[in-house]
Structures are given as C-alpha cells and as structure tokens.
Amino acid sequence: MKAAREKRLPQSGTESFNVDKIRRDFPILKERVHGKPLVYLDNGATSQKPQVVIDALNRYYKSENSNIHRGVHYLSERATANYEAAREKIRQFINAERGNEIIFVRGTTEAINLVAQSYGRSFLKAGDEIVISAMEHHSNIVPWQILCGQIGARLRVVPINHDGEFVLDEYRRLLNESTKLVSLTHVSNALGSIVPVKEAVRLAHERAIPVLLDGAQAVPHFKVDVQDIGCDFYAFSGHKLFGPTGVGVLYGKAELLDAMPPYQGGGDMISLVTFEKTHYNVLPYKFEAGTPNIAGGIGLGAAIDYLNGLNWEEVCAHEHDLLAYATNALSAFETIRIIGTAQDKASVLSFVFDHIHAHDVGTILDQEGVAIRAGHHCAMPVMQRFGVPATARASFALYNNREDVDALVQGIHRVLKVFS
Ligand code: C6P
C-alpha cells in the first residue's frame, strides 16, 4: 500500500529557484498570526499579492482613477490605455489569438455563468446533453443545472477513479450525438488532479462539440496555452493568479463569441440605442456591460508582468518538489488518509484523519499560524465520492517553501496531541 503510494509521488526538485527572493516580493508573508509567523497554505482559495500588484492598485486610485472608454480627458484616456494594455497582457499570457477574445468578468464563476446563459440558452435545446466531470467545483455544476432547468437539457457526469483521476474511457463513452457542450475543470481544487484537457478537447472536437475549461486552479501553477489545448472557452480568476479580487477572464474563440448574444445589457456593450432597437458593440465590449473593475484589470495586468519575470519551468519544478515533500511527510502519519492521489497533480494536498474533523484540524493549525482550508471546498460531489464530509486542504503557491511544510507537520503533531 505504502509502496504503491510512493510510486505515485511526483519527482522532487529544483536547486536554482530562489524562493527567498520571491517571498520578499509578498509583504503579507512577513505577518504574524496568533503570535506565530504566518504560514499561508490556502492558495487554492486565494493567493497573496506581490508588492507590484499592490502598487499598481494604489497608483491607479492615487493618480489615474477615471472611467474608461467614455472620457475624452487625459485621465480617462490613460486609464483606458492601461486597462486595454492589461487585456493584451492576458492575451499573451494564455496565448489567445486575438485581444477581442479576452472578456473581463468578475471571476471564474461569472465566466461560466456567462457561457451557460449566453451560449447555452441560444444553442442548446431540450434533450441535449452537457458533459462535466465528478470533480467539478460548484461553479462548474450549478450554472449548467440552472440551464438544464431552463431549457430541458441533461447533465452527464464523467466519473473519477479512486485516485481522483478523470476516467478518459468513460468520457469517451459519454460523448454522443446528443452532447452539445463539454465543461471540465483543468485542475481539481479539492484533489489537485490535472485533467488531460488536450485529449478531452480533441475527442469532443471529433464530434464538433465545443469545450469550456475551468482554469481557476491551473493558471497559477503552470503555463496555459489556449491555442495549443484547442479549447473553445477558458475561464479563470485574477485573485488566484496573484491579482486582485473581483476580476477574472473568459477567453472564447471569436467566432463563438460573435455568434452569442450579450449576457447583460447596459452601458459600453452597445453601439447604438433607440427605443425600437439596440445595436450591440463589437467584441469584447459586447460582453462587458457597465463600468468594469478597472483597478482590478490593471492590477491583474501587473500580476502577469510579475509572473512574466519568472521562469515557469522553475516555478513548476519548485511546486512539484513541495508537493512531493509534503505528500511524503503526511504519508508518514498512520491516521492520515490523503484524498486525491492522481499521477498528475498540482499543488493541492487534501487529507482526512480517521478520528478528527477537518474543521478541528483547521482551527488548531490556525492557532499555530498555519492557514489551510477545511470543508467541502465547494466541491460537495467530490466529498460524496470519497465518503467524507470534508477534508483539510493545504494548497501551495510559488512562494511557499519546505519550512512551510515543516510548520504544517508540526501543527499536525499538535492536532494529534490535542486529540490524543
Ligand atoms: N475555489 C477554493 O478554495 P471564483 O470564486 O469565481 O473566483 O472561483 C470559483 C472556482 C471555480 N473553479 C474552481 C476549480 C475553483 O477552485 C474555484 C474557487 C476556491 O477552492 C474557493 S471555493
């Protein structure tokens, strides 16, 4: 059993990655919590922000604040230019073909709801099927259930195996002439499993089925190339990518976005309004009704600038090393069961004790300065699949180090002592 588990450990590490230098870029990491140094292992929920992002937000409000796309004055033109520059940075970051394929939204949740309500209500009908997987976040379940209720479509669910891996054969079997949309997570937030999305897209496209990918937990950990993957839509949140809250991205292929009706009506998404008829604006503005989160967009651009200064291969190797180190350490505890042992995993370590509730684990760790998440992680079907009410989840980011894992392990010893 132990040997089998060890075989699945990711290969460990990298020497050259300077995590100490990176840590200095994130001021919050110097904070103390309950008198102890902060050990932040809740990056799946939201990541911390480098000083350059905080500075960009301050700069915007201090010397650039203005509405965009509307004013003819200096500040408005400057804010518009910076906001649109951020869109271009995002385009390059995920290698989208065109800037008008990048829609600013509030986050992953809004991006998926946009596709469900705009694409789904226009192009799907009663009897059609939407395929998701058993490891989706609620944000990639509920919007489709709402759509199914509205139009009479049906949700089909690709199972996951005991390690928490996407079962490709079952997926292949589920695709049929009624399947009209596939929507999959790229990386599971509760298990860390990486879904073979390129192959999933290829199989769906053989049947001309469009694919949306939820990249909320993918983009902070490895380079994503939407053209290489071939997906039709890709959604992610700025706040998990070291950027501000309240801003995120929907990437969509221009020909699909063009064919879709607006999601919301209001300012900026129109080119002409009369009481008889409204002409909509061109992409991407057609989907950006109302004053957007301007500071958020600019802040996300600053986060991408920061990430562009790093070597992604080194980032991946470092996070791989941490995950392997933490997996090894937690595997040594007799009473801990790791939930999610996929071969291909990213930066998430979910675990349960056979006799201690995850919330108690989280509370005691917090007293030690260690921030993890405890609960169902907005992925209740994953908990049901593994027969647990909740897990404790440590999720790593590029600024975490082995000392953070050591602090987690110390904290777990404390948990065991309290419950002994
Ligand atoms: N998961 C977590 O702790 P928003 O809230 O829109 O930024 O992201 C929603 C979302 C969608 N998909 C996945 C895979 C996610 O992980 C999340 C957010 C957080 O795991 C908060 S529940």
Side-chain angles (χ1 to χ4, degrees), residues 42-46 106-112 135-140 185-190 214-218 235-240 246-247 373 377-379 393 395:
D42 194 17
N43 297 285
T46 197
R106 278 194 297 131
T108 309
T109 304
E110 188 174 52
I112 297 172
M135 62 175 127
E136 302 306 329
H137 185 277
H138 297 162
S139 291
N140 200 24
T185 193
H186 195 166
V187 173
S188 156
N189 70 318
D214 169 354
Q217 300 290 347
F236 62 94
S237 302
H239 70 98
K240 296 188 202 286
V247 70
R373 187 170 171 190
H377 315 297
C378 300
R393 183 190 71 178
S395 50

Side-chain angles (χ1 to χ4, degrees), residues 65-292:
N65 178 50
S66 184
N67 213 326
I68 56 167
H69 301 145
R70 291 164 172 85
V72 289
H73 56 82
Y74 172 80
L75 283 184
S76 177
E77 282 174 2
R78 188 163 155 191
T80 303
N82 290 343
Y83 190 71
E84 290 304 326
R87 194 191 304 277
E88 173 57 19
K89 290 171 192 176
I90 294 163
R91 182 198 74 72
Q92 288 178 17
F93 186 67
I94 59 169
N95 193 31
E97 196 182 339
R98 298 183 237 167
N100 66 3
E101 298 180 316
I102 304 298
I103 315 287
F104 278 114
V105 289
R106 278 194 297 131
T108 309
T109 304
E110 188 174 52
I112 297 172
N113 276 279
L114 188 161
V115 176
Q117 288 303 306
S118 173
Y119 182 87
R121 286 191 87 164
S122 306
F123 297 106
L124 272 67
K125 57 179 189 331
D128 286 347
E129 294 182 358
I130 301 161
V131 170
I132 62 171
S133 84
M135 62 175 127
E136 302 306 329
H137 185 277
H138 297 162
S139 291
N140 200 24
I141 301 173
V142 185
W144 306 117
Q145 286 174 330
I146 293 172
L147 174 67
C148 287
Q150 288 164 335
I151 64 171
R154 188 171 164 221
L155 207 55
R156 307 294 303 269
V157 182
V158 183
I160 52 177
N161 66 19
H162 197 67
D163 288 312
E165 290 167 326
F166 184 80
V167 184
L168 206 54
D169 282 343
E170 293 292 333
Y171 169 69
R172 202 180 279 115
R173 258 193 288 279
L174 273 180
L175 299 178
N176 65 69
E177 55 288 349
S178 298
T179 316
K180 290 296 176 317
L181 194 71
V182 168
S183 189
L184 300 174
T185 193
H186 195 166
V187 173
S188 156
N189 70 318
L191 304 168
S193 322
I194 302 177
V195 173
V197 289
K198 200 168 167 181
E199 180 63 0
V201 169
R202 194 187 65 75
L203 290 167
H205 283 182
E206 274 180 5
R207 293 174 172 270
I209 304 163
V211 180
L212 182 153
L213 297 176
D214 169 354
Q217 300 290 347
V219 286
H221 302 297
F222 50 81
K223 208 77 183 108
V224 168
D225 180 331
V226 291
Q227 290 191 75
D228 179 55
I229 294 170
C231 56
D232 301 276
F233 300 103
Y234 197 92
F236 62 94
S237 302
H239 70 98
K240 296 188 202 286
L241 190 63
F242 314 103
T245 49
V247 70
V249 173
L250 172 68
Y251 155 79
K253 283 184 179 160
E255 58 272 27
L256 287 175
L257 293 173
D258 256 332
M260 289 158 54
Y263 172 52
Q264 293 180 326
D268 231 20
M269 51 74 72
I270 54 86
S271 63
L272 180 93
V273 179
T274 66
F275 284 118
E276 288 70 43
K277 188 170 169 57
T278 290
H279 293 268
Y280 303 132
N281 208 340
V282 293
L283 290 177
Y285 312 112
K286 183 173 81 172
F287 291 105
E288 295 181 355
T291 301

Side-chain angles (χ1 to χ4, degrees), residues 2 5-6 9-10 12 41 320-338 349-353 394 396 401-413 416:
K2 187 95 174 175
R5 191 188 275 169
E6 268 159 14
L9 291 180
S12 78
L41 298 177
H320 233 74
D321 173 63
L322 271 185
L323 186 60
Y325 183 69
T327 305
N328 257 329
L330 264 59
S331 301
F333 289 90
E334 288 282 307
T335 49
I336 283 183
R337 176 158 69 105
I338 293 174
L349 192 52
S350 259
F351 56 97
V352 291
F353 286 87
F396 305 102
N401 57 19
R402 285 186 173 211
E403 286 74 37
D404 290 340
V405 177
D406 294 341
L408 171 68
V409 170
Q410 283 302 314
I412 288 173
H413 281 297
L416 288 171

Side-chain angles (χ1 to χ4, degrees), residues 33 37-43 48 362 365-374 393-395 400 408:
V33 171
L38 169 67
V39 174
Y40 189 76
L41 298 177
D42 194 17
N43 297 285
Q48 299 302 345
L365 287 177
D366 176 56
Q367 291 303 311
E368 301 300 307
V370 180
I372 61 151
R373 187 170 171 190
R393 183 190 71 178
S395 50
N400 288 120
L408 171 68

Side-chain angles (χ1 to χ4, degrees), residues 355-404:
H355 62 305
I356 311 169
H357 194 279
H359 283 135
D360 293 325
V361 178
T363 306
I364 295 169
L365 287 177
D366 176 56
Q367 291 303 311
E368 301 300 307
V370 180
I372 61 151
R373 187 170 171 190
H376 53 64
H377 315 297
C378 300
M380 282 185 179
V382 174
M383 302 299 119
Q384 286 149 18
R385 166 68 181 78
F386 286 93
V388 294
T391 74
R393 183 190 71 178
S395 50
F396 305 102
L398 45 85
Y399 43 66
N400 288 120
N401 57 19
R402 285 186 173 211
E403 286 74 37
D404 290 340

